[in-house]
Amino acid sequence: MSVKIGRNDPCWCKSGKKYKACHQAFDERIALIASQGHTVPPHNIIKNRDQIAGIKESCKINIAVLDYIEEHIHEGMNTAEIDKIVYDMTTRMGGIPAPLNYQGYPYSVCTSVNDQVCHGFPSEDVILKSGDIINVDVSTILNGYFSDSSRMFCIGEVSPEKKKLVQVTKECVELGLKEVKPWGFLGDMGQAVHDHAFANGYTVVREIGGHGVGLEFHEDPWVSYNSKRGQEMLMVPGMIFTIEPMVNMGKVDIYIDDENDWEVYTADGMPSAQWEIMVLVTEDGHEVLCW
Ligand code: MF3
Ligand code: CO
Protein backbone atom coordinates (compact mmCIF):
# COMPACT_ATOMS: atom_id res chain seq x y z
CA MET A 1 0.00 0.00 0.00
CA SER A 2 1.33 3.46 -0.75
CA VAL A 3 0.30 6.41 1.35
CA LYS A 4 -0.40 9.60 -0.53
CA ILE A 5 2.16 12.32 0.24
CA GLY A 6 0.68 15.49 1.69
CA ARG A 7 1.41 18.81 -0.02
CA ASN A 8 3.43 19.96 2.95
CA ASP A 9 5.28 16.69 3.53
CA PRO A 10 8.92 16.35 2.51
CA CYS A 11 9.31 15.33 -1.14
CA TRP A 12 10.07 11.68 -1.93
CA CYS A 13 13.19 12.74 -3.83
CA LYS A 14 14.92 13.69 -0.55
CA SER A 15 15.54 17.26 -1.69
CA GLY A 16 14.38 18.44 1.74
CA LYS A 17 11.78 20.65 0.04
CA LYS A 18 8.05 20.37 0.59
CA TYR A 19 6.28 18.08 -1.87
CA LYS A 20 4.17 20.94 -3.28
CA ALA A 21 7.30 22.96 -4.06
CA CYS A 22 9.18 20.00 -5.47
CA HIS A 23 7.77 16.98 -7.37
CA GLN A 24 4.00 17.39 -6.91
CA ALA A 25 3.31 18.97 -10.32
CA PHE A 26 5.74 16.48 -11.87
CA ASP A 27 3.85 13.54 -10.36
CA GLU A 28 0.53 14.95 -11.54
CA ARG A 29 1.84 15.30 -15.07
CA ILE A 30 3.08 11.69 -14.99
CA ALA A 31 -0.26 10.45 -13.59
CA LEU A 32 -2.12 12.14 -16.44
CA ILE A 33 0.11 10.46 -19.04
CA ALA A 34 -0.31 7.12 -17.27
CA SER A 35 -4.08 7.57 -17.41
CA GLN A 36 -3.76 7.85 -21.18
CA GLY A 37 -2.40 4.31 -21.24
CA HIS A 38 1.36 4.92 -21.30
CA THR A 39 4.02 3.17 -19.25
CA VAL A 40 5.55 5.68 -16.82
CA PRO A 41 8.66 5.51 -14.62
CA PRO A 42 8.38 4.59 -10.94
CA HIS A 43 9.99 6.96 -8.41
CA ASN A 44 12.78 4.51 -7.60
CA ILE A 45 14.45 4.98 -11.01
CA ILE A 46 14.41 8.78 -10.83
CA LYS A 47 17.77 9.94 -9.51
CA ASN A 48 18.28 12.97 -7.29
CA ARG A 49 21.17 15.42 -7.39
CA ASP A 50 23.39 13.54 -4.94
CA GLN A 51 22.86 10.25 -6.72
CA ILE A 52 23.64 11.83 -10.09
CA ALA A 53 26.85 13.31 -8.64
CA GLY A 54 27.89 9.86 -7.35
CA ILE A 55 27.05 8.18 -10.65
CA LYS A 56 29.12 10.77 -12.53
CA GLU A 57 32.17 9.89 -10.38
CA SER A 58 31.71 6.24 -11.34
CA CYS A 59 31.44 7.27 -14.99
CA LYS A 60 34.80 9.04 -14.79
CA ILE A 61 36.49 5.70 -14.14
CA ASN A 62 34.58 3.99 -16.93
CA ILE A 63 35.56 6.70 -19.41
CA ALA A 64 39.22 6.69 -18.29
CA VAL A 65 39.45 2.91 -18.68
CA LEU A 66 37.96 2.98 -22.18
CA ASP A 67 40.17 5.94 -23.17
CA TYR A 68 43.22 3.95 -22.05
CA ILE A 69 42.11 0.89 -24.01
CA GLU A 70 41.48 3.04 -27.06
CA GLU A 71 45.11 4.24 -26.87
CA HIS A 72 46.64 0.83 -26.29
CA ILE A 73 44.56 -1.80 -28.09
CA HIS A 74 46.56 -3.35 -30.94
CA GLU A 75 46.99 -6.24 -33.33
CA GLY A 76 48.69 -9.23 -31.68
CA MET A 77 47.31 -8.44 -28.23
CA ASN A 78 45.10 -11.05 -26.55
CA THR A 79 41.83 -10.13 -24.91
CA ALA A 80 42.93 -11.45 -21.49
CA GLU A 81 45.35 -8.50 -21.50
CA ILE A 82 42.36 -6.18 -21.89
CA ASP A 83 40.70 -7.88 -18.93
CA LYS A 84 43.82 -7.29 -16.83
CA ILE A 85 43.99 -3.62 -17.84
CA VAL A 86 40.35 -3.13 -16.86
CA TYR A 87 40.75 -4.86 -13.50
CA ASP A 88 44.01 -3.11 -12.61
CA MET A 89 42.95 0.37 -13.69
CA THR A 90 39.47 0.21 -12.16
CA THR A 91 40.70 -1.01 -8.78
CA ARG A 92 43.62 1.45 -8.74
CA MET A 93 41.06 4.24 -9.16
CA GLY A 94 39.04 2.88 -6.22
CA GLY A 95 36.33 1.13 -8.23
CA ILE A 96 35.17 -2.43 -8.76
CA PRO A 97 34.61 -3.92 -12.23
CA ALA A 98 30.84 -4.47 -12.21
CA PRO A 99 30.84 -7.57 -14.47
CA LEU A 100 33.17 -9.53 -12.17
CA ASN A 101 31.04 -12.22 -10.48
CA TYR A 102 27.85 -10.53 -11.72
CA GLN A 103 25.41 -13.45 -11.98
CA GLY A 104 28.45 -15.67 -12.20
CA TYR A 105 30.19 -13.75 -15.00
CA PRO A 106 33.85 -14.69 -14.55
CA TYR A 107 35.74 -11.64 -15.92
CA SER A 108 36.06 -7.86 -15.45
CA VAL A 109 35.02 -6.90 -18.97
CA CYS A 110 33.24 -8.24 -22.04
CA THR A 111 35.31 -8.42 -25.24
CA SER A 112 33.20 -9.39 -28.25
CA VAL A 113 35.01 -9.99 -31.54
CA ASN A 114 33.48 -10.11 -35.07
CA ASP A 115 30.46 -12.45 -34.97
CA GLN A 116 30.30 -12.30 -31.18
CA VAL A 117 27.31 -10.11 -30.38
CA CYS A 118 28.07 -9.46 -26.68
CA HIS A 119 29.36 -10.98 -23.42
CA GLY A 120 32.51 -12.31 -25.09
CA PHE A 121 34.94 -13.84 -22.59
CA PRO A 122 38.41 -12.32 -22.54
CA SER A 123 40.95 -15.06 -23.29
CA GLU A 124 44.67 -15.59 -23.89
CA ASP A 125 43.57 -17.61 -26.90
CA VAL A 126 41.74 -14.73 -28.55
CA ILE A 127 44.55 -12.82 -30.23
CA LEU A 128 43.50 -9.68 -32.09
CA LYS A 129 44.37 -9.85 -35.76
CA SER A 130 44.24 -7.38 -38.59
CA GLY A 131 40.67 -7.13 -39.90
CA ASP A 132 38.97 -7.82 -36.56
CA ILE A 133 36.33 -5.58 -35.05
CA ILE A 134 35.92 -5.75 -31.29
CA ASN A 135 33.53 -4.35 -28.72
CA VAL A 136 34.99 -3.64 -25.30
CA ASP A 137 32.19 -3.28 -22.73
CA VAL A 138 33.29 -1.72 -19.43
CA SER A 139 31.17 -1.26 -16.29
CA THR A 140 32.25 0.17 -12.95
CA ILE A 141 30.96 0.31 -9.38
CA LEU A 142 32.21 3.25 -7.31
CA ASN A 143 30.79 3.87 -3.83
CA GLY A 144 27.78 1.78 -4.84
CA TYR A 145 27.12 3.75 -8.03
CA PHE A 146 27.19 2.03 -11.42
CA SER A 147 28.42 3.12 -14.83
CA ASP A 148 28.33 1.20 -18.10
CA SER A 149 29.55 1.95 -21.62
CA SER A 150 31.23 0.27 -24.55
CA ARG A 151 33.12 1.16 -27.71
CA MET A 152 34.12 -0.57 -30.93
CA PHE A 153 37.69 -0.80 -32.16
CA CYS A 154 38.95 -1.69 -35.63
CA ILE A 155 42.19 -3.68 -35.61
CA GLY A 156 44.68 -3.14 -38.46
CA GLU A 157 43.18 -3.24 -41.96
CA VAL A 158 39.44 -3.71 -41.60
CA SER A 159 37.25 -4.35 -44.67
CA PRO A 160 35.07 -1.46 -45.87
CA GLU A 161 31.97 -3.58 -45.09
CA LYS A 162 32.91 -4.08 -41.46
CA LYS A 163 34.06 -0.47 -41.07
CA LYS A 164 30.68 0.65 -42.34
CA LEU A 165 28.89 -1.59 -39.85
CA VAL A 166 30.90 -0.06 -37.01
CA GLN A 167 30.26 3.49 -38.26
CA VAL A 168 26.55 3.03 -38.90
CA THR A 169 26.07 1.47 -35.45
CA LYS A 170 27.70 4.55 -33.91
CA GLU A 171 25.37 6.75 -35.95
CA CYS A 172 22.40 4.70 -34.67
CA VAL A 173 23.34 5.63 -31.11
CA GLU A 174 23.81 9.30 -32.04
CA LEU A 175 20.45 9.46 -33.82
CA GLY A 176 18.75 7.71 -30.91
CA LEU A 177 20.34 10.15 -28.48
CA LYS A 178 18.79 13.11 -30.32
CA GLU A 179 15.37 11.73 -29.35
CA VAL A 180 16.15 11.67 -25.63
CA LYS A 181 14.23 14.47 -23.94
CA PRO A 182 11.78 14.76 -21.07
CA TRP A 183 8.14 13.91 -21.80
CA GLY A 184 9.05 11.92 -24.90
CA PHE A 185 8.95 8.12 -25.02
CA LEU A 186 11.72 5.54 -25.19
CA GLY A 187 10.18 4.32 -28.42
CA ASP A 188 11.11 7.66 -30.04
CA MET A 189 14.74 6.77 -29.40
CA GLY A 190 14.28 3.08 -30.25
CA GLN A 191 12.68 3.74 -33.59
CA ALA A 192 15.41 6.22 -34.59
CA VAL A 193 18.05 3.58 -33.83
CA HIS A 194 16.21 0.88 -35.71
CA ASP A 195 15.34 2.98 -38.75
CA HIS A 196 18.97 3.91 -39.39
CA ALA A 197 20.19 0.32 -39.06
CA PHE A 198 17.38 -0.92 -41.31
CA ALA A 199 18.04 1.77 -43.94
CA ASN A 200 21.58 0.40 -44.20
CA GLY A 201 20.43 -3.18 -44.63
CA TYR A 202 21.24 -4.25 -41.08
CA THR A 203 19.21 -5.87 -38.31
CA VAL A 204 18.99 -4.98 -34.62
CA VAL A 205 19.12 -7.77 -32.03
CA ARG A 206 15.75 -8.13 -30.33
CA GLU A 207 16.41 -10.25 -27.26
CA ILE A 208 19.07 -8.08 -25.61
CA GLY A 209 18.58 -4.38 -25.01
CA GLY A 210 19.63 -1.46 -22.88
CA HIS A 211 18.62 -0.77 -19.32
CA GLY A 212 18.24 1.69 -16.53
CA VAL A 213 21.50 2.03 -14.60
CA GLY A 214 23.09 3.96 -11.74
CA LEU A 215 21.86 2.64 -8.42
CA GLU A 216 22.00 -0.92 -9.77
CA PHE A 217 23.83 -2.43 -12.74
CA HIS A 218 20.55 -3.23 -14.48
CA GLU A 219 17.39 -1.36 -13.47
CA ASP A 220 14.09 -0.65 -15.16
CA PRO A 221 13.35 0.20 -17.87
CA TRP A 222 14.42 -2.50 -20.27
CA VAL A 223 15.32 -0.58 -23.43
CA SER A 224 14.36 -1.98 -26.82
CA TYR A 225 15.55 -0.79 -30.24
CA ASN A 226 12.74 -2.54 -32.03
CA SER A 227 10.19 -0.11 -30.64
CA LYS A 228 7.98 2.57 -32.15
CA ARG A 229 7.70 6.32 -31.68
CA GLY A 230 5.25 7.22 -28.91
CA GLN A 231 5.53 3.80 -27.31
CA GLU A 232 7.49 2.31 -24.38
CA MET A 233 8.24 4.15 -21.14
CA LEU A 234 7.83 7.89 -20.73
CA MET A 235 11.16 9.73 -20.28
CA VAL A 236 11.36 12.19 -17.39
CA PRO A 237 14.18 14.26 -15.84
CA GLY A 238 16.37 12.17 -13.53
CA MET A 239 16.08 8.92 -15.48
CA ILE A 240 19.36 7.32 -16.53
CA PHE A 241 19.57 4.52 -19.08
CA THR A 242 21.85 3.07 -21.72
CA ILE A 243 21.60 3.22 -25.48
CA GLU A 244 23.42 0.11 -26.66
CA PRO A 245 22.02 -1.46 -29.81
CA MET A 246 23.62 -4.62 -31.15
CA VAL A 247 23.55 -4.29 -34.92
CA ASN A 248 24.04 -7.33 -37.16
CA MET A 249 25.33 -7.14 -40.71
CA GLY A 250 23.24 -10.18 -41.58
CA LYS A 251 20.23 -11.82 -40.03
CA VAL A 252 18.79 -10.83 -36.68
CA ASP A 253 19.06 -14.28 -35.09
CA ILE A 254 21.53 -15.00 -32.32
CA TYR A 255 22.51 -17.95 -30.13
CA ILE A 256 24.14 -18.33 -26.75
CA ASP A 257 27.16 -20.59 -26.31
CA ASP A 258 25.71 -23.56 -24.47
CA GLU A 259 29.04 -24.44 -22.84
CA ASN A 260 29.28 -21.23 -20.81
CA ASP A 261 25.74 -19.82 -21.14
CA TRP A 262 27.16 -16.33 -21.69
CA GLU A 263 28.79 -15.65 -25.01
CA VAL A 264 26.33 -14.51 -27.67
CA TYR A 265 26.95 -15.01 -31.40
CA THR A 266 25.14 -14.22 -34.63
CA ALA A 267 23.40 -17.34 -35.95
CA ASP A 268 24.66 -16.73 -39.50
CA GLY A 269 28.26 -16.02 -38.49
CA MET A 270 28.17 -12.48 -39.91
CA PRO A 271 29.72 -9.62 -37.91
CA SER A 272 27.87 -7.66 -35.23
CA ALA A 273 28.70 -4.25 -33.74
CA GLN A 274 27.65 -2.37 -30.61
CA TRP A 275 28.33 0.99 -29.03
CA GLU A 276 26.96 1.85 -25.59
CA ILE A 277 26.43 5.20 -23.93
CA MET A 278 24.79 6.10 -20.63
CA VAL A 279 22.43 9.05 -20.77
CA LEU A 280 20.66 11.22 -18.19
CA VAL A 281 17.32 12.82 -19.06
CA THR A 282 17.55 16.48 -17.97
CA GLU A 283 14.97 19.28 -17.65
CA ASP A 284 15.68 20.47 -21.19
CA GLY A 285 17.06 17.44 -22.99
CA HIS A 286 19.81 15.03 -22.04
CA GLU A 287 23.37 14.69 -20.84
CA VAL A 288 25.66 11.86 -21.89
CA LEU A 289 27.31 10.60 -18.70
CA CYS A 290 29.48 7.87 -20.11
CA TRP A 291 30.65 6.62 -23.53
N1 MF3 B 1 27.94 -4.31 -19.76
C1 MF3 B 1 26.86 -5.12 -20.22
C2 MF3 B 1 25.68 -4.21 -20.47
O1 MF3 B 1 25.80 -3.38 -21.26
C3 MF3 B 1 26.48 -6.15 -19.23
C4 MF3 B 1 27.39 -7.23 -19.19
S1 MF3 B 1 26.72 -8.44 -18.20
C5 MF3 B 1 28.10 -9.08 -17.55
O2 MF3 B 1 24.64 -4.29 -19.87
F1 MF3 B 1 27.78 -9.92 -16.66
F2 MF3 B 1 28.78 -9.59 -18.50
F3 MF3 B 1 28.79 -8.11 -17.02
CO1 CO C 1 24.65 -1.92 -20.56
Side-chain angles (χ1 to χ4, degrees), residues 145-205:
Y145 294 114
F146 290 77
S147 52
D148 185 9
S149 57
S150 77
R151 301 183 198 170
M152 293 297 296
F153 303 106
C154 291
I155 308 299
E157 295 293 314
V158 169
S159 71
E161 292 78 15
K162 284 165 94 175
K163 268 193 194 154
K164 182 179 168 200
L165 175 69
V166 170
Q167 177 58 27
V168 167
T169 305
K170 189 171 196 205
E171 291 163 7
C172 285
V173 172
E174 289 161 356
L175 291 167
L177 178 64
K178 283 194 182 163
E179 300 294 330
V180 177
K181 41 175 115 44
W183 314 107
F185 296 92
L186 277 174
D188 307 350
M189 180 281 294
Q191 176 159 8
V193 168
H194 186 273
D195 284 355
H196 190 58
F198 186 80
N200 283 279
Y202 303 144
T203 57
V204 185
V205 171

Side-chain angles (χ1 to χ4, degrees), residues 273-290:
Q274 179 184 30
W275 295 80
E276 176 176 18
I277 62 171
M278 197 168 137
V279 53
L280 166 70
V281 182
T282 60
E283 293 295 335
D284 53 7
H286 59 252
E287 181 180 349
V288 178
L289 301 184
C290 201

Side-chain angles (χ1 to χ4, degrees), residues 229-273:
R229 176 165 289 282
Q231 297 185 356
E232 308 291 323
M233 190 181 280
L234 176 73
M235 295 185 279
V236 303
M239 275 172 77
I240 298 177
F241 57 87
T242 67
I243 305 179
E244 52 173 317
M246 297 161 200
V247 178
N248 294 351
M249 190 185 285
K251 294 211 172 76
V252 73
D253 311 83
I254 56 170
Y255 71 89
I256 301 174
D257 186 323
D258 61 11
E259 271 170 26
N260 59 41
D261 258 348
W262 273 107
E263 293 179 295
V264 180
Y265 294 83
T266 59
D268 62 8
M270 300 270 280
S272 183

Side-chain angles (χ1 to χ4, degrees), residues 76-250:
M77 172 181 215
N78 69 61
T79 53
E81 294 174 60
I82 297 174
D83 190 61
K84 183 167 166 28
I85 290 171
V86 172
Y87 181 84
D88 290 348
M89 221 177 138
T90 304
T91 51
R92 218 182 310 122
M93 294 178 81
I96 302 165
L100 192 58
N101 303 317
Y102 174 77
Q103 296 185 354
Y105 187 82
Y107 301 99
S108 296
V109 64
C110 302
T111 51
S112 306
V113 182
N114 298 329
D115 64 324
Q116 277 185 322
V117 173
C118 65
H119 304 164
F121 282 3
S123 166
E124 282 178 8
D125 299 331
V126 178
I127 298 161
L128 297 178
K129 56 184 194 309
S130 183
D132 283 344
I133 58 170
I134 178 174
N135 173 275
V136 178
D137 191 339
V138 176
S139 318
T140 302
I141 315 171
L142 180 72
N143 302 324
Y145 294 114
F146 290 77
S147 52
D148 185 9
S149 57
S150 77
R151 301 183 198 170
M152 293 297 296
F153 303 106
C154 291
I155 308 299
E157 295 293 314
V158 169
S159 71
E161 292 78 15
K162 284 165 94 175
K163 268 193 194 154
K164 182 179 168 200
L165 175 69
V166 170
Q167 177 58 27
V168 167
T169 305
K170 189 171 196 205
E171 291 163 7
C172 285
V173 172
E174 289 161 356
L175 291 167
L177 178 64
K178 283 194 182 163
E179 300 294 330
V180 177
K181 41 175 115 44
W183 314 107
F185 296 92
L186 277 174
D188 307 350
M189 180 281 294
Q191 176 159 8
V193 168
H194 186 273
D195 284 355
H196 190 58
F198 186 80
N200 283 279
Y202 303 144
T203 57
V204 185
V205 171
R206 296 175 171 277
E207 298 89 335
I208 315 167
H211 51 94
V213 58
L215 308 180
E216 304 284 346
F217 195 173
H218 296 112
E219 305 171 8
D220 280 343
W222 185 75
V223 180
S224 168
Y225 313 100
N226 285 282
S227 48
K228 291 272 176 253
R229 176 165 289 282
Q231 297 185 356
E232 308 291 323
M233 190 181 280
L234 176 73
M235 295 185 279
V236 303
M239 275 172 77
I240 298 177
F241 57 87
T242 67
I243 305 179
E244 52 173 317
M246 297 161 200
V247 178
N248 294 351
M249 190 185 285

